[in-house]
Amino acid sequence: MLGIWVEHTEGARFWLRVMNDLKARGIEDVLIVVCDGLTGLPAAVQTVWPEAIVQTCIVHLTRASLRWVNYKDRKRVASQLRLIYSASTEQAARDALDSWTDSEIGRKYPAIKRQWEAAWEQVIPFFAFPPEVRKVIYTTNMIESINYQLRKVSKTRGHFPTDDALIKVLYLACREMGRTTRAGQGGRSSYNWKAALNQFDLMFPGRLDRA
């Protein structure tokens, strides 16, 4: 958890302030940022850290696609979209997207094709890595789990008299989550971070040494 910021609306200006704040506090370089299509966030990241790669959250993109789909077709569409993001290579993923586009179900929901093609440059970065590393960088679910816990805490409190009061509650909730994780799991993650770090060291030579 790098910080807590309170803002009434999200946008490029807000995210740029957050990124500049993080850089001023010592984050000199960022390799990959996984995000879920938040307005202005990719542009803010690449303005502050021009070498950073932005990877869209595949889970969020798939969920957004399914919003276009009739309930009876959802399972079928989800299974076909899985063929795209679970492909072995970027070219195989492109071929799977083209096959989807030309299929009967793909022609039924053309908006999904437009959605994936618009996001394509932020879909494909994780194909450069082996499957065990893709699990680390293809979704923001780990972050969403934290956000879910914070929303539960804030909703039960109702109205906050000041932003500082809200920040204090969220900070205490973060401390409690950290304490629970250390007590219950020893602070371990199911994600293979060691494999990811070794891959990053090869993919981004010298940049991990800046940390």
Side-chain angles (χ1 to χ4, degrees):
M1 180 70 70
L2 299 178
I4 299 173
W5 295 265
V6 177
E7 184 57 78
H8 296 289
T9 58
E10 289 179 331
R13 182 179 299 179
F14 165 67
W15 288 116
L16 186 61
R17 177 166 62 86
V18 172
M19 298 304 118
N20 281 326
D21 183 18
L22 293 174
K23 186 170 186 179
R25 286 162 49 195
I27 300 180
E28 296 183 11
D29 193 11
V30 171
L31 305 182
I32 299 174
V33 175
V34 186
C35 57
D36 57 0
L38 294 170
T39 302
L41 179 53
V45 168
Q46 294 181 320
T47 296
V48 177
W49 297 289
E51 294 181 275
I53 294 173
V54 175
Q55 168 72 50
T56 195
C57 173
I58 300 299
V59 173
H60 277 82
L61 181 59
T62 302
R63 287 175 183 166
S65 297
L66 292 178
R67 285 203 296 264
W68 300 93
V69 180
N70 291 330
Y71 181 79
K72 64 183 179 65
D73 290 332
R74 284 195 170 193
K75 186 176 292 186
R76 180 182 174 191
V77 171
S79 66
Q80 293 201 3
L81 293 178
R82 190 178 299 113
L83 296 176
I84 301 172
Y85 63 79
S86 64
S88 57
T89 65
E90 177 186 334
Q91 184 58 54
R94 180 72 243 188
D95 292 342
L97 178 60
D98 291 341
S99 294
W100 152 263
T101 300
D102 294 335
S103 69
E104 178 186 355
I105 193 74
R107 291 193 295 271
K108 187 175 180 180
Y109 300 108
I112 295 178
K113 171 197 172 185
R114 294 196 303 271
Q115 196 169 36
W116 279 74
E117 289 193 334
W120 193 247
E121 290 304 311
Q122 294 175 2
V123 168
I124 59 177
F126 82 123
F127 286 112
F129 298 93
E132 64 270 20
V133 178
R134 294 181 192 181
K135 292 179 181 178
V136 177
I137 60 175
Y138 92 110
T139 179
T140 60
N141 275 2
M142 187 163 50
I143 301 170
E144 289 299 316
S145 176
I146 296 173
N147 289 340
Y148 173 74
Q149 296 297 326
L150 295 179
R151 281 194 294 270
K152 282 206 310 184
V153 171
S154 61
K155 284 184 178 179
T156 58
R157 297 297 194 281
H159 176 72
F160 291 89
T162 65
D163 287 349
D164 285 343
L166 170 61
I167 290 173
K168 183 178 291 186
V169 168
L170 296 178
Y171 169 74
L172 292 173
C174 290
R175 288 190 59 186
E176 182 60 29
M177 280 189 282
R179 188 179 297 115
T180 301
T181 299
R182 288 191 296 272
Q185 303 175 4
R188 296 179 182 175
S189 170
S190 60
Y191 295 99
N192 195 343
W193 285 108
K194 294 296 184 183
L197 284 173
N198 281 288
Q199 288 281 330
F200 294 161
D201 192 43
L202 293 173
M203 290 287 291
F204 308 101
R207 290 174 65 184
L208 284 177
D209 298 334
R210 303 178 192 176

